[in-house]
Amino acid sequence: MSETTHLRPAAHFTARDTWLNDPNGLILHKGVYHLFFQHNPNGQSWGDIGWGHATSTDLIRWEEQPPAIPATSHEMAFSGSVVWDRFNTSGLGSGPEGSLVAVFTSACNDTHPTHPGLQVQSIAVSDDDGATWRRHDGNPVLDRGSKDFRDPKVFRHEPSGRWVMVAVEAADRQVVIHSSANLIDWRFESAFGPAGQPDVLWECPDLVEVPVEGGGTRWVLLLSINPGGFAGGSGMVYFVGDFDGHTFVADPPEPHVLDFGPDCYAAVSFSGTPRATILGWFSNWAYALEAPTWPWRSAMTLARTVSLVHTDDGLRLRAVPVADELPGAVTRATATLGVDEEIVVWTGDDDRASRVVIRREADGSLVVDRGEADPSGVHEGFHATPPIPLPNRPVEVDLIVDAGLIELYLDGGLVTVSMQTFPVPGPVRVERGEPAHQVETRRPMPT
Ligand code: FRU
């Protein structure tokens, strides 16, 4: 197979020549952003999963590093998080500045000597700022006797002076919360859920304190659900509420949609950033394995800072891309899109050009349709989004197109849409309806 160079994004992370899924262990540490990720070092499909690793100083240009936590013959290393144990609470670090500690799920196979068939939580320690990792001898550190207990996200809860872990009982649609003084001994605090749609898996939770515009903070529980996503297949929702160090209580019992496109999953926040910043997997379990890219498969979303905004419907998340300056290969356009108007993203310059249609309906809602940017039929059944609710007035659109990966930030970021497409090679044009005219395009930055 030859390399699908025209589909390689410039500002969205892809692995060099392998499969990836969820981002893991996102952390800003000593001026370097670390992105670990679910990684198959042996191929372009899901399997042999361990943690890959990439670093960046600007969240745009990523450098892939050697794999961090590989699978063993008895277990794969599923999703999890990294914290800086600055004061060596674990006692496992060496050196004056503590260590980085990764908390991940050991997905044990049937040959596992002590936990066959179970999902349990384990830790690994790095004394060289994330470059190399060693598994803790006493793993696992948390076992509930469950086959579906995974995706630990750990953060420091300063008011109680402890570490807090949120993880899922995926099949029970529950988030389970544990606390610890040392990242090794964990105590059960509470469970949240089930809630929302029945018959879906809950995955990759995050509980993050988010500033409210106008003052104060609230807690947001991010959750990935599969299936049941707004645009079909897997997708993300969030709850807004309070967390007292023990229990999360949601304001309304029904969650809100985090991203209205089909391709944002497993997004979680960075540890150590001054502003709440999230990054997700730019795909959907409904078709991720079919993506016609080579020799890599799947990408990450851009990093987005999030805040909470008072709206007529209550508090809602606003997301904006962190990086304002994107490489020249990325097209970025801004426009005001009125009701009954549309924007078309064309790729290619002949009559086989691919197009994605971004259309406001008569009631103000938005439909994004990639049906003509899918030459190999990968997204069959997932081409057009359902109508995305928007206020019945013109809204601002910030549009980013990076080798077929499309991110839309609408109405100041209160609505985001992540959508991957697989266009033919060629130049990108962003046009408004008919007759065609160019939308104001930001001057490309030099690469
Ligand atoms: C979510 C997920 C996680 C799991 C990982 C395995 O996409 O299913 O729940 O830890 O992927 O790769």
Side-chain angles (χ1 to χ4, degrees):
M1 228 177 276
S2 58
E3 179 157 359
T4 52
T5 316
H6 72 288
L7 296 174
R8 176 81 83 174
H12 293 77
F13 176 71
T14 51
R16 199 177 305 118
D17 55 7
T18 56
W19 165 268
L20 66 76
N21 55 291
D22 317 352
N24 298 149
L26 302 175
I27 187 168
L28 171 60
H29 180 61
K30 299 185 182 171
V32 177
Y33 294 96
H34 294 263
L35 162 58
F36 300 88
F37 54 91
Q38 292 285 281
H39 175 229
N40 178 355
N42 304 317
Q44 285 76 20
S45 287
W46 190 91
D48 299 330
I49 291 289
W51 281 28
H53 186 200
T55 53
S56 172
T57 53
D58 62 4
L59 293 167
I60 292 295
R61 292 162 191 84
W62 291 98
E63 207 176 311
E64 191 169 341
Q65 305 291 343
I69 306 174
T72 70
S73 55
H74 299 305
E75 63 177 58
M76 292 193 272
F78 275 14
S79 285
S81 47
V82 166
V83 290
W84 184 16
D85 184 12
R86 171 74 185 81
F87 300 106
N88 199 18
T89 61
S90 74
L92 299 172
S94 55
E97 290 188 306
S99 59
L100 292 180
V101 175
V103 188
F104 62 96
T105 299
S106 291
C108 306
N109 61 33
D110 291 340
T111 71
H112 196 281
T114 55
H115 297 77
L118 297 185
Q119 294 187 347
V120 292
Q121 313 319 317
S122 294
I123 61 177
V125 178
S126 173
D127 286 318
D128 54 8
D129 297 323
T132 60
W133 295 81
R134 59 174 196 280
R135 280 174 157 91
H136 169 48
D137 287 340
N139 281 338
V141 295
L142 185 54
D143 168 23
R144 290 167 50 92
S146 167
K147 292 180 177 341
D148 278 303
F149 174 38
R150 59 179 178 268
D151 306 341
K153 180 73 164 74
V154 173
F155 59 93
R156 186 83 192 156
H157 186 254
E158 287 305 342
S160 57
R162 296 164 315 151
W163 302 102
V164 170
M165 175 201 294
V166 290
V168 286
E169 282 291 352
D172 297 341
R173 296 186 296 132
Q174 281 202 314
V175 171
V176 284
I177 302 179
H178 291 76
S179 67
S180 174
N182 59 8
L183 297 164
I184 296 171
D185 304 302
W186 292 93
R187 191 179 78 188
F188 177 78
E189 293 285 351
S190 62
F192 173 82
Q197 294 187 55
D199 304 323
V200 304
L201 290 177
W202 281 18
E203 298 187 314
C204 299
D206 191 5
L207 188 53
V208 48
E209 192 170 10
V210 175
V212 180
E213 293 179 22
T217 64
R218 296 301 303 281
W219 288 81
V220 172
L221 178 65
L222 301 173
L223 208 53
S224 292
I225 59 173
N226 182 23
F230 177 82
S234 55
M236 285 194 68
V237 297
Y238 66 96
F239 296 86
V240 181
D242 287 323
F243 179 62
D244 62 0
H246 305 282
T247 308
F248 175 75
V249 180
D251 294 351
E254 289 302 310
H256 312 301
V257 176
L258 181 78
D259 184 293
F260 290 82
D263 294 307
C264 179
Y265 199 66
V268 287
S269 63
F270 278 84
S271 181
T273 51
R275 303 184 55 190
T277 305
I278 65 172
L279 180 149
W281 179 43
F282 211 128
S283 197
N284 187 316
W285 279 118
Y287 46 70
L289 292 155
E290 318 296 327
T293 56
W294 187 269
W296 76 95
R297 202 180 248 138
S298 287
M300 296 299 180
T301 68
L302 295 178
R304 305 166 180 180
T305 54
V306 291
S307 53
L308 283 164
V309 183
H310 289 285
T311 73
D312 293 344
D313 299 323
L315 284 171
R316 291 292 185 277
L317 278 180
R318 179 204 299 285
V320 292
V322 176
D324 207 39
E325 295 186 2
L326 296 170
V330 179
T331 300
R332 187 168 191 179
T334 50
T336 304
L337 188 60
V339 172
D340 261 335
E341 291 183 344
E342 68 181 33
I343 291 173
V344 181
V345 180
W346 293 91
T347 307
D349 48 11
D350 57 19
D351 53 7
R352 291 174 309 129
S354 304
R355 60 180 200 137
V356 176
V357 180
I358 301 160
R359 186 178 63 248
R360 298 287 305 276
E361 306 288 357
D363 64 357
S365 65
L366 177 88
V367 173
V368 188
D369 189 343
R370 59 181 165 185
E372 290 177 48
D374 182 21
S376 41
V378 171
H379 299 135
E380 212 58 66
F382 300 89
H383 280 159
T385 64
I388 298 168
L390 274 176
N392 203 335
R393 54 167 166 75
V395 299
E396 296 301 311
V397 187
D398 184 0
L399 167 81
I400 296 170
V401 186
D402 187 8
L405 302 179
I406 298 181
E407 296 198 12
L408 301 177
Y409 297 83
L410 295 129
D411 204 16
L414 288 171
V415 168
T416 62
V417 181
S418 304
M419 182 180 268
Q420 63 174 326
T421 66
F422 301 110
V424 299
V428 174
R429 274 175 303 135
V430 182
E431 290 180 352
R432 186 186 278 284
E434 297 294 333
H437 66 267
Q438 283 277 115
V439 167
E440 183 200 331
T441 308
R442 293 196 181 193
R443 187 167 292 122
M445 296 299 299
T447 33

